[in-house]
Every structure is written in structure tokens, then in C-alpha cells.
Amino acid sequence: SVDTRTGRGKARQNIERREIAVDVREFRSALPSILHQGGMRLAPVTLIVGDFVLSNVHCVERKSISDLFGSFTSGRLYTQAESMSKYYKCPCLLIEFDPSKSFCLQSPNELGVEIRTDSICSKLCLLTMHFPKLRILWSRSPHDTLRIFKALKANHEEPNVDRAMEIGRNGDSDDAALVNQGDDNNEHDEINEAARDMLLRLPGVNAHNARKIMQECDSIAELMDMSREELRKIAGPVTGQKLFTFFRQKMQAT
């Protein structure tokens, strides 16, 4: 029997989630040790996608400030964000600051209203526009990261470590099957990444008007069949005309 007067029955239901799949390369940093000291149970594995898997929906790519700048320069962060967005419902970019330095990514004097290729904030804005599911986590220190991870795990099941290890190793269809196991809602939340990338490469299409086009069209084929007026309505007069001309011009001159 349960003594409800002392609250013992209720306490048993508040089980703390502690499992985290950690890529073995992250053990070169101080974070895994701090997570372990904070009560987390770590599973050191080789992950193809992400650095930490907190649950079956949360995948985290961790970046120090120097890593962040380097990953933008090399283009590696785009690929990592693309992979996480493809396989996980809630992909996260963790930006972890040095506790001995100011909690500031860019000087306020350098901020402006225009998108600039030399601005780290502009690059982050473009990244989140291209990957709408991506969440950015701001951490002052590894100890702050521990608190963030605990909060994210609170209402989710423990990660399937074996499945996290396999994601990214096989073909797209096999990986999709792994991710969709146990989550019936994924089928409705999935975005066709290949179709979206193709859409963004069409003349005049950018991250802003692409969202409206995706709301109005179910496929590229449907977009191609639209009339000039329909294209101008959903994409704007200039882009609509560009798309109409592009879809109907011959590939070779006669």
C-alpha cells in the first residue's frame, strides 16, 4: 500500500531522466565530466549526427565560440544542422561560452540592420531561416549546460542509444525508419529536405518567400503546373514571373 499522507506515492512518479548518448570526441572537453558529476549517466558512443542525444527528439551539436566561427567558415555547421534537422524533431545548436569571458557573441557596436557576410549574428540568422526547426541554446558555462540538458530531458523519454548510433550510417530510407520508430507524429512533421533545397535554388526564391510557397503547394510538380497569375500571387510579381518563365523555357535553343 502507499502512504499518501507522506506523499511517497507521488514522489515515485517524478523519475529524473539521466541517460545521455555522448559522442566520444566530446570527452576531450570538460562538459562530459561535469554532466557525470551532475548525476547524468553517459553512454560514450560514436555518433554520426550530433554530439549529444538527450532524447529521441533532442539532438545537440555543441560549439565553443572558436568552433562556431570555424564551422561557419568551413561550411561544416550547415551540413551538421541539415543532418540534425533531417533526423530529429528538435535539433539544437548549443553555443557554449567561456565562463572567464563576457557572455557576448558580438560587440553591440558591430550590430546593424543589414545582413553582412562578415557578421556572426547575420550568419546565425540565415542558418535559422534555412532550418526553421533548429533551436539555439545559449550557455554561459558547462555547468549552465548541465542545467539546460536536465530541463530539456525532464518531459521526454530516455534516448535509444543504439538507434542514435545507427542514424546517419545507412541509407536515407533506413535512417528515416529508425527515427520514426515509436513516434507516430513524425510522419506529419517531416519536411522533404530535397524538395525544399530544390525550391530554394529556383530563380527568385529565397528563405522568406519559400515559406509562403510551401504553405500553398504540396510539391514542386504542383508549383510547375500553376498559371502565371497563381505564381505571381504566392511568390510576388517579380519572382512569380521568373518562375513562370523558368518552368516553360526550353532547355535547348531551336
Side-chain angles (χ1 to χ4, degrees), residues 154-196:
N155 298 316
H156 295 274
E157 296 297 325
E158 298 286 23
N160 185 323
V161 177
D162 292 334
R163 186 168 62 183
M165 291 174 58
E166 290 301 318
I167 289 176
R169 296 179 185 274
N170 306 310
D172 290 347
S173 59
D174 292 336
D175 286 333
L178 282 170
V179 174
N180 288 334
Q181 286 178 6
D183 190 354
D184 296 333
N185 294 325
N186 273 3
E187 182 179 352
H188 304 286
D189 295 334
E190 286 291 329
I191 295 176
N192 188 332
E193 301 289 343
R196 185 182 64 180

Side-chain angles (χ1 to χ4, degrees), residues 8-95:
R8 293 173 187 169
K10 187 175 183 180
R12 290 180 181 176
Q13 297 176 3
N14 298 325
I15 301 174
E16 185 178 12
R17 272 96 174 160
R18 298 166 56 192
E19 299 283 346
I20 298 179
V22 185
D23 186 80
V24 291
R25 288 161 289 193
E26 285 298 310
F27 282 85
R28 292 176 290 186
S29 70
L31 181 57
S33 176
I34 291 173
L35 293 175
H36 177 69
Q37 293 172 11
M40 296 290 101
R41 287 197 295 262
L42 307 183
V45 294
T46 300
L47 297 176
I48 302 300
V49 178
D51 294 324
F52 300 87
V53 177
L54 308 183
S55 69
N56 290 333
V57 298
H58 291 98
C59 180
V60 179
E61 184 70 36
R62 172 186 166 273
K63 299 290 181 188
S64 65
I65 300 303
S66 59
D67 283 342
L68 182 67
F69 279 82
S71 295
F72 269 124
T73 301
S74 66
R76 188 170 72 251
L77 184 54
Y78 178 94
T79 303
Q80 292 167 333
E82 184 178 38
S83 297
M84 289 195 298
S85 298
K86 184 175 184 178
Y87 297 125
Y88 288 93
K89 191 174 181 179
C90 189
C92 302
L93 170 62
L94 169 68
I95 301 176

Side-chain angles (χ1 to χ4, degrees), residues 45-234:
V45 294
T46 300
L47 297 176
I48 302 300
V49 178
D51 294 324
F52 300 87
V53 177
L54 308 183
S55 69
N56 290 333
V57 298
H58 291 98
C59 180
V60 179
E61 184 70 36
R62 172 186 166 273
K63 299 290 181 188
S64 65
I65 300 303
S66 59
D67 283 342
L68 182 67
F69 279 82
S71 295
F72 269 124
T73 301
S74 66
R76 188 170 72 251
L77 184 54
Y78 178 94
T79 303
Q80 292 167 333
E82 184 178 38
S83 297
M84 289 195 298
S85 298
K86 184 175 184 178
Y87 297 125
Y88 288 93
K89 191 174 181 179
C90 189
C92 302
L93 170 62
L94 169 68
I95 301 176
E96 194 173 78
F97 286 75
D98 186 335
S100 64
K101 298 180 180 179
S102 62
F103 187 54
C104 180
L105 188 61
Q106 189 172 356
S107 170
N109 296 329
E110 298 175 354
L111 297 176
V113 297
E114 301 293 334
I115 294 292
R116 303 201 323 267
T117 57
D118 62 339
S119 169
I120 189 67
C121 290
S122 293
K123 293 177 180 179
L124 277 173
C125 289
L126 293 173
L127 186 71
T128 53
M129 288 174 65
H130 196 79
F131 301 106
K133 290 198 301 181
L134 185 66
R135 300 292 181 263
I136 298 182
L137 309 176
W138 304 89
S139 174
R140 292 179 179 271
S141 68
H143 288 92
D144 201 22
T145 299
L146 170 62
R147 290 190 290 270
I148 293 171
F149 281 8
K150 284 186 174 182
L152 288 175
K153 289 179 60 62
N155 298 316
H156 295 274
E157 296 297 325
E158 298 286 23
N160 185 323
V161 177
D162 292 334
R163 186 168 62 183
M165 291 174 58
E166 290 301 318
I167 289 176
R169 296 179 185 274
N170 306 310
D172 290 347
S173 59
D174 292 336
D175 286 333
L178 282 170
V179 174
N180 288 334
Q181 286 178 6
D183 190 354
D184 296 333
N185 294 325
N186 273 3
E187 182 179 352
H188 304 286
D189 295 334
E190 286 291 329
I191 295 176
N192 188 332
E193 301 289 343
R196 185 182 64 180
D197 289 343
M198 181 182 294
L199 175 64
L200 288 168
R201 288 177 171 82
L202 294 177
V205 178
N206 52 41
H208 177 69
N209 57 25
R211 290 188 179 185
K212 185 175 181 181
I213 293 173
M214 291 170 65
Q215 290 173 353
E216 300 291 337
C217 298
D218 291 330
S219 66
I220 296 293
E222 182 181 349
L223 185 67
M224 293 173 62
D225 289 337
M226 286 187 170
S227 65
R228 187 198 310 266
E229 290 71 23
E230 290 173 324
L231 287 171
R232 289 166 66 94
K233 182 178 180 181
I234 67 169

